[in-house]
Amino acid sequence: MKHRLFLFDLDDTLLDFKASERLSFQHALAALGVAALPAGLFERYQAINLALWGDFEAGTVGKDVLKVERFRRTFHGAGLDLDAHAASGLYLEALADSVVLVDGARELCAALAAIGEVGIITNGVAQIQQRRIASAGLREHLSFVATSEGCGHAKPDVRFFQHTVGMARAFRHAETVIVGDRLDADILGANRFGIDSVWFNPDGAVNGGAARPTWEVARLRNVTRTLGLTTHA
């Protein structure tokens, strides 16, 4: 049976989060008086941020804490006397406007919306994600946006996916597929919920974990062919 409900991760699947993240980090620190980033500072931030998001998805840290703590730890480790709360606000404001689309994202959403229903599934900050979706020109192709904040649980928790499909016009396990870049959140979540998944893996990473994607693609333009769908886009 062909798929009719398409659930997309947002960051690093439809939107190039890595590019937006660097631009927003640079903007925040420039606003705080740091004209040139110290060597390795952004990479330090990325590692701290990734670890904290892992804690959030495990339910051991709240999102409000995460948003500030990642800057506090980064500044403390680098010996920088900067306001972590201010940095967090500046970063999030910049992130909402620093939108870079992954190649083929808008075209794919439009094509799938013409044959079924497209929804976004994200653990990101809800208000910022909504603004980024609008800035990217994706909203017209979407039926809904499911966020961890709106649900109270994060991917890969099954309760997140139960919340998500409750937002859809129609849901059947056999007709639903998740497309995402993260094995530990998107693909593992699909496995636990009993639905198909497409691992978006543009860098050719090796899957060494427990998650098992139904399919794997390196480019978004390959998704419709991989799913055996006929579109008019």
Side-chain angles (χ1 to χ4, degrees):
M1 183 175 293
K2 290 186 176 180
H3 298 93
R4 290 292 180 265
L5 177 58
F6 307 95
L7 305 178
F8 280 90
D9 173 55
L10 187 63
D11 290 320
D12 290 325
T13 299
L14 296 178
L15 301 184
D16 187 340
F17 180 75
K18 294 181 179 68
S20 299
E21 181 184 35
R22 181 180 288 275
L23 289 171
S24 301
F25 186 84
Q26 291 171 335
H27 172 85
L29 266 68
L32 293 174
V34 181
L37 294 184
L41 184 67
F42 177 66
E43 290 71 22
R44 179 195 299 269
Y45 165 82
Q46 284 185 306
I48 291 169
N49 186 45
L50 182 62
L52 282 168
W53 274 106
D55 292 341
F56 168 74
E57 289 163 2
T60 59
V61 67
K63 190 169 290 184
D64 287 340
V65 172
L66 178 156
K67 288 186 286 188
V68 177
E69 183 65 11
R70 55 191 176 182
F71 287 98
R72 189 196 68 77
R73 293 186 189 180
T74 299
F75 297 158
H76 177 75
L80 293 173
D81 184 19
L82 298 172
D83 187 333
H85 285 273
S88 177
L90 289 163
Y91 169 82
L92 290 173
E93 278 299 311
L95 189 63
D97 299 319
S98 301
V99 173
V100 180
L101 277 159
V102 172
D103 184 43
R106 190 181 292 122
E107 294 81 1
L108 177 59
C109 288
L112 295 179
I115 62 174
E117 189 174 9
V118 179
I120 296 292
I121 53 173
T122 177
N123 284 347
V125 180
Q127 182 179 6
I128 302 304
Q129 298 295 61
Q130 292 282 6
R131 288 174 58 183
R132 296 175 71 225
I133 289 167
S135 296
L138 296 175
R139 187 177 300 281
E140 64 181 293
H141 307 305
L142 306 178
S143 292
F144 60 88
V145 178
T147 68
S148 57
E149 288 180 31
C151 170
H153 303 282
K155 297 180 292 181
D157 195 308
V158 169
R159 290 170 291 185
F160 176 89
F161 296 98
Q162 291 169 337
H163 166 79
T164 295
V165 299
M167 301 175 72
R169 293 192 299 268
F171 164 68
R172 293 184 63 183
H173 279 84
E175 296 179 348
T176 304
V177 61
I178 288 174
V179 182
D181 70 299
R182 287 190 54 192
L183 290 166
D184 58 345
D186 307 309
I187 307 306
L188 184 59
N191 292 164
R192 291 176 176 176
F193 195 54
I195 57 180
D196 288 337
S197 61
V198 178
W199 181 26
F200 178 53
N201 184 22
D203 298 325
V206 175
N207 181 2
R212 291 293 176 261
T214 314
W215 300 281
E216 178 181 339
V217 298
R219 299 290 180 268
L220 289 181
R221 64 174 176 267
N222 296 335
V223 169
T224 52
R225 183 172 67 251
T226 296
L227 296 178
L229 298 171
T230 300
T231 70
H232 301 289

